[in-house]
Amino acid sequence: MEFTRVKNFINGEWVEDPNATYIPLHNPSTGEVIGEVPMSSTEASIDAVKAADAAYPAWKNLSIGKRVGYLFAMRQAMLDHQEELAVAIATDQAKHISEARGEVMRVVQIFEAACSIPTLMQGETLSPIANGINGRVTKEPLGVFGGVAPFNFPALVFGWFIPYAIGTGNTFVYKPSNESPLFMQVIGDIFNEVGLPKGVVNIIHGDPNVVEAWYDRPEVAGVCLVGSSPTAKAIAQGCGKNGKRSMLLGGAKNFLVVMEDANLDVFIENFIHSAYGSAGQRCLAGSIIAVVPEIYDECVERMVEASKKVTVGDAMNPDIYMGPVISKAAKERIEKYIELGIEGGSKLVLDGRNPEVPEKNKAGYFVGPTIFTDVTPCRTIAKEEIFGPVVSVMKIDDLNDVLGLIKEQQFGNGACIFTQNQYYTEKFISDANVGMVGVNVGVCAPHPYLPFGGIKDSLVGTNKVQGKDGIEFFIQNKVATIRVAPPEGVAECGTRVDGDKSVRSCVAE
């Protein structure tokens, strides 16, 4: 790609912040600098908020059918620009091009689901609640929302936030990751292509100061995040002090549980996708494999054999399976965890450090499939989120044993079980202390019609993304009490005469 100077998108225009400093943008597959990203000023962040606030009244009052019409148009434009969007992801985020295409198509599905907002946003009525009096609940938008995206899913997180926010009548300020901003550079052009009114969605780049500027702005109704648990808690505090809403998805450490009756062919196929898809850089990656003693040795042997066949290289190469991790710092952090695993006494049966890659990719940020066995729950590699293609294998006694381990861990995002036993299946679904479970699947990501999110430290707050939960976060209930006609025998202000006594009530009976 040509060198790209990333810009902010404010009030429908690509603009540069004269007060910004710039940091380099890298292609993780090669290590080369492919652009620069602005660290925008607080003033630029506030300008984006003001643009969203100015657009809000007209957007809120636009008929819901016309708002959804823009969602349909964006869905079609994403299909029209699918390859361009996928290449943007595969370039700066370095997700393999096949996975990048899949991520774009998942967002298309999310837009399709969000187009059901007119049905899911309908209000309620209760009639009568008293003589001549009806009650009505209407669902209304709240104003301006801010959103913060991680590097690993630049398209998906855009889909989780923006269609639901603007479809329900709000406006938005979106901060992409500084490490993967190119997807939103294409999306900004799509906004203009479909004629989205100026200011409805704004894009701002920068460090945490950009987000902190939102906390004291009365126009901002809430903030959304997908990121680390510490960042989620920091944003929750910033929002909480000013009574703003927050929808914050944090970190994870996910179990794949293999029972004695599992179909190992099914498990291995799903394990490879779960552990090494996106180079392990996703919140539903299977990073702990818990296996019962009866099949432990066979399972480990097959995992290692299959993992050795995972090819590593340039994210744009259709012949390889796994691309690089996001940055040099990420590569160094993952390699440090591998050292910690060795020092902690776990057995390194597959070392992914310094994998073989083509000469042009030697400066890229590659870590190959890595497997530890003899891992116990107290080990650092079993407790902390590594966010890379590093797998810890544990031997468990039985299903109750692993359910206890899942319950005790800090995170509660997802967990999957591989079994043909209906008792194991139902007990796992019921008792696994996580927000999302899977049966004979390696990535338990719900489809767009259902909510996505964990529990414990994996979710700060109460709302999950997409589905009904995604809609509810962006709307508020307004309740109306309506007298359709003055009831007989009732004086003004709901006072009625009952014999010698007068009764005054806020609602006439």
Side-chain angles (χ1 to χ4, degrees), residues 71-72 74-82 85 101-115 155-156 158-159 163 183 448-449:
L71 300 187
F72 272 108
M74 282 187 268
R75 169 201 175 273
Q76 184 58 50
M78 290 189 69
L79 287 173
D80 295 341
H81 295 276
Q82 178 187 358
L85 291 164
R101 293 182 186 121
E103 184 178 348
V104 173
M105 287 308 300
R106 174 49 66 95
V107 178
V108 169
Q109 294 174 340
I110 292 173
F111 268 90
E112 293 169 352
C115 288
L156 183 61
F158 154 77
F183 172 83
Y449 324 105

Side-chain angles (χ1 to χ4, degrees), residues 6-22:
V6 172
K7 296 182 180 180
N8 295 327
F9 184 78
I10 299 176
N11 203 34
E13 304 287 341
W14 291 112
V15 296
E16 294 189 12
D17 177 5
N19 298 314
T21 58
Y22 286 81

Side-chain angles (χ1 to χ4, degrees), residues 57 192 338 472:
N192 285 339
I338 295 174
E472 288 298 322

Side-chain angles (χ1 to χ4, degrees), residues 253-273:
K253 192 75 175 175
N254 308 301
F255 279 74
L256 303 185
V257 180
V258 191
M259 302 304 293
E260 70 277 0
D261 65 326
N263 182 324
L264 286 185
D265 290 337
V266 171
F267 165 69
I268 292 298
E269 180 182 357
N270 281 271
F271 155 70
I272 294 296
H273 177 57

Side-chain angles (χ1 to χ4, degrees), residues 11-70:
N11 203 34
E13 304 287 341
W14 291 112
V15 296
E16 294 189 12
D17 177 5
N19 298 314
T21 58
Y22 286 81
I23 61 172
L25 176 66
H26 294 88
N27 179 343
S29 291
T30 63
E32 65 180 318
V33 176
I34 57 173
E36 56 186 8
V37 185
M39 297 294 99
S40 301
S41 62
T42 297
E43 292 77 14
S45 181
I46 293 173
D47 286 344
V49 169
K50 289 180 177 178
D53 184 54
Y56 174 64
W59 183 250
K60 170 188 176 182
N61 292 319
L62 192 67
S63 71
I64 194 166
K66 289 184 178 180
R67 291 203 301 263
V68 170
Y70 284 106

Side-chain angles (χ1 to χ4, degrees), residues 227-233 250-255 288 337 377 379-380 382-386 404-414 433-435 454-460:
S228 70
S229 296
T231 301
K233 292 177 180 180
K253 192 75 175 175
N254 308 301
F255 279 74
I288 300 177
Y337 272 109
R379 302 271 166 82
T380 299
K383 294 189 296 183
E384 297 183 10
E385 185 174 31
I386 300 174
L405 296 177
I406 293 171
K407 183 177 181 180
E408 291 169 4
Q409 73 163 193
Q410 170 189 1
F411 301 109
N413 210 43
N433 193 27
V434 294
I455 58 175
K456 297 188 283 189
D457 270 11
S458 295
L459 180 70
V460 178

